[in-house]
Amino acid sequence: MTIEQTTLSFLKGDCVKEFGEKEGKEIYDQTQSLYEQLLSSADDRGSDVIREHLEKKLFSPMAYYKTLLSRGMKATEALFYVKKETHKAASIKKQEMQGLAKMPFAYMIYRLGVKKFMKKNFPEEGWQTEWVRCDKKEIHFNLHRCIYWDLTNRYGCPELCCVYCENDTISFSGLLPKIKFERMGTLGEGSSYCDFHFVKA
């Protein structure tokens, strides 16, 4: 598995643009090597879905962040560069969401499919989901446990979790104007859970 097969498929080119040909290639190669190490020792908890999260979404930003830190970059600066990449990936997801927003009865379609989607793509092996409401006006659920929060802590970089959280806000903004995404806080920001509100606009 290579980083080019993850949500950061464009990282190699961006590293060269950001840091120059020689250093950019070194950073990318080091990131790829660390990414492979993380995958080889990862516990997917017996879930193919969690394995996919690790392979495609979670470990590539983590490997990039840890690589930048190992080269002497300060955490705030390293987070800046990682956010540039993950925000770019989230913007691609936002465009996909815009396709749903253009459909008639977008909110109803989203509401009817959301519980099945969450059960399949965010299984109990990695997430603890509390459903608060799912009616004609609002979809609201809370995540009391999340593998992104678990693993950023386990690998000694809890500050990285907020990067993944920010991607939700960017991606779900693509549902406007039909559906408005709202949030009060996340585990990564110090809240006791991550709340998700999808309001019929």
Side-chain angles (χ1 to χ4, degrees):
M1 190 82 180
T2 68
I3 290 176
E4 291 179 337
Q5 295 171 283
T6 75
T7 54
L8 301 189
S9 59
F10 38 76
L11 180 63
K12 188 174 184 178
D14 286 353
C15 281
V16 171
K17 290 178 184 177
E18 293 285 2
F19 306 106
E21 185 75 33
K22 183 176 181 295
E23 187 179 4
K25 187 176 184 303
E26 289 177 359
I27 290 173
Y28 179 80
D29 289 345
Q30 188 177 337
T31 300
Q32 174 64 42
S33 177
L34 180 53
Y35 169 74
E36 292 171 3
Q37 291 176 39
L38 290 168
L39 270 182
S40 67
S41 61
D43 178 11
D44 60 19
R45 306 181 186 183
S47 168
D48 291 339
V49 173
I50 288 181
R51 188 72 186 179
E52 187 172 356
H53 276 274
L54 302 181
E55 290 178 343
K56 295 187 176 180
K57 301 177 183 179
L58 204 159
F59 279 151
S60 47
M62 183 183 288
Y64 185 39
Y65 179 62
K66 283 184 168 289
T67 293
L68 295 177
L69 291 179
S70 73
R71 298 175 71 89
M73 189 176 289
K74 292 182 179 179
T76 52
E77 188 177 3
L79 281 172
F80 168 79
Y81 284 112
V82 175
K83 284 183 180 184
K84 285 185 72 173
E85 299 304 307
T86 57
H87 287 183
K88 189 173 180 178
S91 295
I92 295 172
K93 187 66 177 177
K94 175 183 176 179
Q95 292 174 9
E96 295 176 12
M97 294 285 186
Q98 288 172 339
L100 172 61
K102 292 177 182 178
M103 296 176 66
F105 311 110
Y107 178 82
M108 183 180 71
I109 293 170
Y110 199 77
R111 178 172 65 88
L112 292 176
V114 67
K115 286 191 175 183
K116 184 178 180 180
F117 177 86
M118 288 298 297
K119 185 176 182 180
K120 177 183 177 182
N121 294 283
F122 299 87
E124 61 184 13
E125 290 88 352
W127 291 265
Q128 181 185 343
T129 307
E130 172 201 10
W131 287 96
V132 180
R133 62 186 292 188
C134 186
D135 53 37
K136 294 181 179 180
K137 293 184 178 180
E138 181 182 344
I139 300 160
H140 173 195
F141 59 88
N142 300 322
L143 296 182
H144 292 270
R145 183 167 51 87
C146 169
I147 197 167
Y148 287 81
W149 175 237
D150 291 347
L151 291 188
T152 50
N153 275 272
R154 181 178 302 173
Y155 287 97
C157 50
E159 69 278 7
L160 184 64
C161 191
C162 65
V163 173
Y164 303 105
C165 300
E166 287 177 10
N167 293 343
D168 292 337
T169 303
I170 296 169
S171 300
F172 292 133
S173 67
L175 294 171
L176 289 169
K178 300 287 183 66
I179 305 169
K180 183 179 180 182
F181 175 66
E182 297 177 344
R183 166 176 280 169
M184 299 298 291
T186 67
L187 291 165
E189 296 167 337
S191 296
S192 57
Y193 55 80
C194 305
D195 63 322
F196 291 74
H197 301 258
F198 298 90
V199 182
K200 185 177 181 181

